[in-house]
Amino acid sequence: MKYNLHTHTVRCNHATGEDREYVENAIKAGIKVLGFADHCPQFFPTRDYYSYFRMRPEQAQEYAESIRALKKEYKRDIKILLGFETEYYPETYDAFIQFVRPLHLDYLIMGQHFVGNEYDEGSYYAAQEGKKEQYLDQYVNQVKEGLQKGVFTYLAHPDIVWYCGDRSYYEKRITELCRFAKDRDIPLEFNMLGYLNGRCYPSPAFWKIAAKVGNKVAIGYDAHNPAMLLQSKAYENCLRILNALGMTLTPFEEIKLRNEKL
């Protein structure tokens, strides 16, 4: 069964299209489960900083109502889920959880774009070129700490770190991360947007390690426009890459949403 749990909306300020367009294109593409996981609001302890790439807190209720209305309207055609993509930031995690609980989400995915708490000194964008051992350590440690919370359905673009250091050290730390996810039955996402745009992810080195460890895997369209959901050729290409590594797509029924902890 074809599914996608990584869909954004215009509310994140860098996506386009109406919510309904995403649903209708998903149906055209033969997608049976469509999860909306727009970039979640965060609650930084300063008034001088706010992320440009996520929705504002005051938009969250309308977002939830829109997706739930579509879920009801299209229930005979497709299963629609309401979620968020978010980073794990130690300083803001408690405020974030308190905010999302009243929304009664179906799931959360972790997409760790920044390491640190984003706003503070020492934080960095993970996909910026030139990351070496120290930065890889910070990424792996922070992702493990976040996954340990038990609220994340899967880890989006787990290979986002643009690493340029010693390859044996990369293999050691990424093996550790992959084993950590496997032990907790948390799938890793093969990111289709990164594949299409030629980003530093999906990383062949990362996925060779994940295949060796035997991780579960999901393909995430990371759709920022409705047309992305019609990229059937790219989807098949991603499947072929995974199959060549000996990996098969995890059936949706085997993915644990973990919403009981929200």
Side-chain angles (χ1 to χ4, degrees):
M1 179 172 65
K2 197 173 182 180
Y3 62 90
N4 172 50
L5 301 181
H6 198 164
T7 311
H8 293 280
T9 78
V10 70
R11 299 168 188 84
C12 71
N13 302 309
H14 60 284
T16 60
E18 299 297 324
D19 299 345
R20 181 182 301 277
E21 293 179 271
Y22 285 93
V23 174
E24 292 181 349
N25 276 4
I27 294 169
K28 289 179 185 177
I31 294 171
K32 300 302 181 183
V33 180
L34 180 67
F36 283 87
D38 209 358
H39 293 283
C40 190
Q42 283 288 348
F43 301 89
F44 303 107
T46 174
R47 295 184 178 181
D48 299 330
Y49 178 84
Y50 197 80
S51 305
Y52 65 91
F53 65 91
R54 64 180 81 250
M55 72 171 67
R56 294 277 179 174
E58 57 269 23
Q59 295 176 292
Q61 187 62 46
E62 182 272 330
Y63 165 66
E65 291 172 358
S66 174
I67 303 311
R68 288 206 172 97
L70 291 168
K71 178 177 182 177
K72 183 177 180 180
E73 180 179 349
Y74 288 91
K75 64 182 179 180
R76 295 186 179 181
D77 303 303
I78 190 170
K79 181 180 181 69
I80 296 175
L81 299 176
L82 172 66
F84 275 121
E85 176 188 14
T86 188
E87 294 76 16
Y88 166 69
Y89 295 145
E91 287 192 12
T92 65
Y93 178 77
D94 290 342
F96 158 75
I97 287 294
Q98 290 175 12
F99 176 79
V100 300
R101 276 184 175 146
L103 296 173
H104 303 292
L105 302 176
D106 294 311
Y107 70 105
L108 290 172
I109 60 176
M110 183 198 290
Q112 198 68 35
H113 300 88
F114 285 83
V115 175
N117 295 288
E118 186 180 333
Y119 77 94
D120 51 351
E121 185 177 354
S123 288
Y124 66 90
Y125 179 52
Q128 183 177 345
E129 185 177 6
K131 299 299 176 289
K132 293 195 176 181
E133 287 80 1
Q134 176 185 351
Y135 299 100
L136 181 64
D137 285 342
Q138 291 176 330
Y139 173 80
V140 170
N141 293 341
Q142 189 162 338
V143 168
K144 286 173 59 180
E145 183 178 328
L147 294 181
Q148 187 67 39
K149 297 292 185 180
V151 300
F152 293 105
T153 294
Y154 76 47
L155 178 59
H157 39 65
D159 44 350
I160 191 172
V161 173
W162 193 343
Y163 181 74
C164 300
D166 180 75
R167 302 315 297 180
S168 62
Y169 194 79
Y170 180 83
E171 183 173 354
K172 174 184 174 182
R173 291 311 314 265
I174 294 302
T175 298
E176 178 186 331
L177 176 59
C178 288
R179 286 177 177 165
F180 189 89
K182 182 182 179 181
D183 289 345
R184 287 152 186 80
D185 201 22
I186 298 171
L188 307 177
E189 178 201 75
F190 193 91
N191 189 275
M192 206 167 98
L193 180 62
Y195 166 78
L196 280 171
N197 288 355
R199 297 182 177 179
C200 62
Y201 57 91
S203 161
F206 179 96
W207 286 101
K208 285 179 183 177
I209 295 168
K212 184 177 180 180
V213 171
N215 289 96
K216 286 186 173 181
V217 59
I219 292 176
Y221 283 67
D222 202 352
H224 285 74
N225 60 73
M228 181 70 176
L229 297 173
L230 299 176
Q231 292 276 4
S232 297
K233 184 177 180 180
Y235 179 86
E236 294 300 325
N237 287 343
C238 291
L239 270 181
R240 277 193 286 270
I241 292 170
L242 292 169
N243 292 163
L245 289 167
M247 304 183 80
T248 57
L249 196 65
T250 302
F252 174 74
E253 294 79 9
E254 294 182 16
I255 293 180
K256 299 175 182 178
L257 297 181
R258 304 176 195 269
N259 54 4
E260 72 280 356
K261 294 195 176 184
L262 295 178

